[in-house]
Amino acid sequence: MITKFIKRILRRDPMVKHTQANNTGAPKRIPKKAHRIDPHLLSKNAVKVTHTLQQAGYEAFIVGGAVRDLALGISPKDFDVATNATPDQVQRLFRKARLIGRRFQIVHVTFFGKGHPEIIEVSTFRALLDNAGDHVAESGRILRDNVWGSQGEDAARRDFTINAMYYDPSSETVLDYHGGMADMQKKTLRMIGDPAKRYREDPVRMLRAVRFAAKTGFTLDGATRAPIAKLGKLLNDVPSARLFDEILKLLMSGYSWAAIQGLKDAGLHHGLLPLLDHILDTGADSKGANDFVKLALANTDERIQSGKSVSAGFLFATLLWPDLLKNWKANSAKGMANIPALHDAMDDTIATQSSGMTIQRRFESDMREIWSMQPRFERRVGRYPYRLIESPRFRAGYDFMLLRCATGELNPAIGQWWTDFIATDVTGQDELMASVKNESGNSPSPAKRRRRRRPKAAVPPESAAS
Ligand code: ATP
Ligand code: MG
């Protein structure tokens, strides 16, 4: 009866249409002893969602990246559920369920527990559109993707075989439509269908190929890799916001350095981040910049792999820093004062970046804050340090400054001074402030100015003698 009801709904909704075109062959059913997924790695909430849907008579599976990660023995960072229930039917079954999206609705079911709330994303099986009609741009890129379908069709529209497996927690069975489990064993990343066609439909899949290869350590299957060299330029047609999301996922994958090397190997880095062009193409003569970015990315990867948070603003601030530094130095050489030279350089760097891929505004303001804080770390006189530690983004600015110290761009003694300064009490801070006066060579401009005016007060006799 429920099936009949779904069919009726599907017929009634003009948005819903089935396509006949796709391969919907029977899946391989993989039992527990073959897939060895550890049920302890499952999210209890995801299991609740599949159980509730199944008890109401629907089909429901954990799907996509979560199944891939489970099969790899990794704890998935989020869980998606796929079902044959429509979004309205899903919503009625859960108290905290929200419909998201206009053209193709999905449901976010939220669970509040001890830590952060967990959102389980529930989508109705979707079909792949055939390559006809106004859904496809001239290049083959799919513009709309809003047709519901069977589970087989849902599997066929996914990107890689290892991302197209369905796991039923009740029977502990994996349904595998495209040989994903065999590819897992062969450590191969393989595109479902004709790779060139799939990249034309959605060029972002080329970036995803690089990201998943870096994350899993798998090799791209030859036929999956081959068309990328020729089709990479199609990324230019992808809306900037979408590109940004995917690059962000790549950088936040916990394997960003490997992924960036992968982008270079695939020839995909051009136009994404000017900095990547610069670093990856010029090699030796940009060694300083290369070291800085490498260290920043290694640092990010380490944080992500140990479950710590990373701010995207911070990350982009590091990636664009070498470019900014170059502009800043050029402005100073032209005779601009230090701070205006920095702000002017920030505008230039961001403008150049936006010509490739625009960074979202909220991240841009974080970047500007982190950057403009940098000269302030060198002003260790008067009230400056006390004010600086009170700024809301101090921690990010401080971490950023430490990276600069680690690559030798900034005197490491300054980094150590700040590390001591935030760890100590008021008396200790006063002592540290006094110690700055004894340093030479790293004093910031305001101190220098003061020293020129009142040399005796600024330079204590013992340091003057040494
Ligand atoms: P991650 O662990 O990084 O989240 P993921 O595989 O879950 O990896 P998502 O971007 O969350 O990646 O997408 C969820 C699933 O949706 C994928 O596993 C894949 O099956 C499908 N998918 C996502 N993007 C695409 C795409 N561009 N083309 C085809 N299928 C896609
Ligand atoms: Mg995911």
Side-chain angles (χ1 to χ4, degrees):
M1 203 188 100
I2 283 163
T3 330
K4 254 195 213 153
F5 180 58
I6 294 171
K7 278 191 185 144
R8 213 173 65 222
I9 297 251
L10 289 179
R11 264 201 309 274
R12 221 175 32 200
D13 187 335
M15 191 177 82
V16 175
K17 173 182 98 175
H18 281 277
T19 53
Q20 314 293 314
N22 304 301
N23 161 30
T24 56
K28 204 181 246 172
R29 306 183 82 83
I30 303 175
K32 183 175 185 180
K33 66 175 188 314
H35 61 66
R36 301 231 177 108
I37 287 177
D38 176 0
H40 293 104
L41 294 176
L42 290 170
S43 143
K44 287 198 177 63
N45 296 325
V47 175
K48 256 188 231 160
V49 171
T50 53
H51 277 175
T52 307
L53 281 160
Q54 288 168 352
Q55 293 205 315
Y58 302 109
E59 292 170 24
F61 301 85
I62 291 169
V63 70
V67 185
R68 174 198 67 221
D69 289 351
L70 288 167
L72 283 168
I74 304 173
S75 176
K77 66 176 168 24
D78 44 43
F79 282 80
D80 297 334
V81 167
T83 177
N84 62 351
T86 63
D88 286 339
Q89 289 166 337
V90 174
Q91 195 186 29
R92 262 176 256 141
L93 291 172
F94 300 96
R95 259 192 314 142
K96 291 275 176 217
R98 220 152 58 92
L99 285 171
I100 307 285
R102 271 199 215 138
R103 279 207 302 258
F104 190 88
Q105 291 190 315
I106 54 172
V107 185
H108 277 180
V109 182
T110 308
F111 293 88
F112 297 93
K114 273 182 223 141
H116 288 292
E118 184 181 7
I119 295 176
I120 306 295
E121 197 170 290
V122 186
S123 17
T124 305
F125 295 144
R126 235 194 287 186
L128 181 76
L129 288 167
D130 46 21
N131 254 2
D134 60 358
H135 299 307
V136 180
E138 234 172 84
S139 63
R141 184 161 67 88
I142 288 189
L143 303 174
R144 293 172 65 214
D145 181 14
N146 56 1
V147 184
W148 293 347
S150 65
Q151 186 179 31
E153 288 173 314
D154 189 79
R157 61 162 264 278
R158 294 179 182 273
D159 45 10
F160 301 97
T161 60
I162 60 169
N163 282 350
M165 298 187 283
Y166 297 75
Y167 178 66
D168 174 8
S170 316
S171 63
E172 294 188 63
T173 308
V174 169
L175 300 192
D176 182 4
Y177 284 83
H178 296 279
M181 205 53 91
D183 283 339
M184 298 265 330
Q185 271 144 17
K186 283 183 265 174
K187 298 191 181 302
T188 298
L189 198 58
R190 187 192 314 275
M191 179 64 76
I192 296 169
D194 170 24
K197 182 172 169 236
R198 303 299 312 280
Y199 294 138
R200 283 207 182 86
E201 284 168 4
D202 181 7
V204 161
R205 288 174 185 148
M206 292 183 267
L207 296 178
R208 294 175 61 85
V210 169
R211 169 158 69 95
F212 293 128
K215 177 172 171 172
T216 55
F218 287 12
T219 311
L220 276 177
D221 168 61
T224 298
R225 181 178 193 86
I228 295 181
K230 231 173 71 193
L231 299 181
K233 57 180 186 300
L234 294 180
L235 283 169
N236 296 333
D237 304 336
V238 175
S240 192
R242 175 102 203 282
L243 220 46
F244 179 83
D245 283 351
E246 199 55 44
I247 288 289
L248 194 58
K249 281 190 186 176
L250 187 141
L251 294 172
M252 301 280 205
S253 62
Y255 299 86
S256 62
W257 182 247
I260 281 181
Q261 292 304 312
L263 284 181
K264 179 185 159 71
D265 294 345
L268 286 179
H269 57 293
H270 289 281
L272 292 175
L273 291 161
L275 164 89
L276 293 186
D277 283 4
H278 183 69
I279 289 177
L280 296 173
D281 290 341
T282 51
D285 67 306
S286 62
K287 195 175 172 315
N290 212 336
D291 285 349
F292 183 82
V293 171
K294 200 169 172 174
L295 191 72
L297 292 176
N299 193 36
T300 303
D301 288 349
E302 196 186 300
R303 284 186 69 89
I304 290 177
Q305 285 178 27
S306 57
K308 292 186 196 146
S309 68
V310 168
S311 117
F314 183 90
L315 193 52
F316 282 107
T318 57
L319 291 178
L320 295 177
W321 179 250
D323 189 64
L324 172 60
L325 209 53
K326 195 179 71 196
N327 291 339
W328 188 9
K329 280 184 188 151
N331 284 344
S332 301
K334 280 187 259 166
M336 269 169 106
N338 201 32
I339 303 300
L342 171 62
H343 283 264
D344 187 81
M346 285 178 358
D347 291 343
D348 277 354
T349 296
I350 286 177
T352 314
Q353 173 56 44
S354 302
S355 67
M357 177 191 72
T358 314
I359 292 175
Q360 282 174 16
R361 280 230 177 277
R362 62 198 165 108
F363 299 132
E364 189 189 309
S365 62
D366 285 355
M367 283 154 54
R368 283 181 184 274
E369 246 179 283
I370 290 169
W371 287 337
S372 55
M373 230 184 267
Q374 295 311 306
R376 297 174 66 192
F377 283 103
E378 294 180 66
R379 285 185 171 186
R380 290 166 299 150
V381 289
R383 298 295 309 156
Y384 289 125
Y386 300 97
R387 264 191 239 144
L388 186 54
I389 50 172
E390 271 159 29
S391 48
R393 306 280 298 144
F394 171 78
R395 191 72 212 188
Y398 164 77
D399 285 344
F400 193 94
M401 183 268 301
L402 288 185
L403 278 178
R404 296 173 58 216
C405 291
T407 51
E409 181 213 312
L410 188 70
N411 183 346
I414 297 183
Q416 188 56 51
W417 187 93
W418 278 98
T419 303
D420 296 341
F421 191 76
I422 52 183
T424 187
D425 56 11
V426 181
T427 322
Q429 288 185 339
D430 289 344
E431 281 167 17
L432 281 163
M433 291 297 292
S435 76
V436 178
K437 294 179 184 164
N438 299 328
E439 282 178 20
S440 62
N442 296 310
S443 300
S445 42
K448 274 186 199 150
R449 248 181 273 131
R450 234 168 63 182
R451 218 178 276 153
R452 271 197 298 275
R453 266 185 269 127
R454 295 188 299 159
K456 276 185 192 140
V459 185
E462 47 296 15
S463 85
S466 64

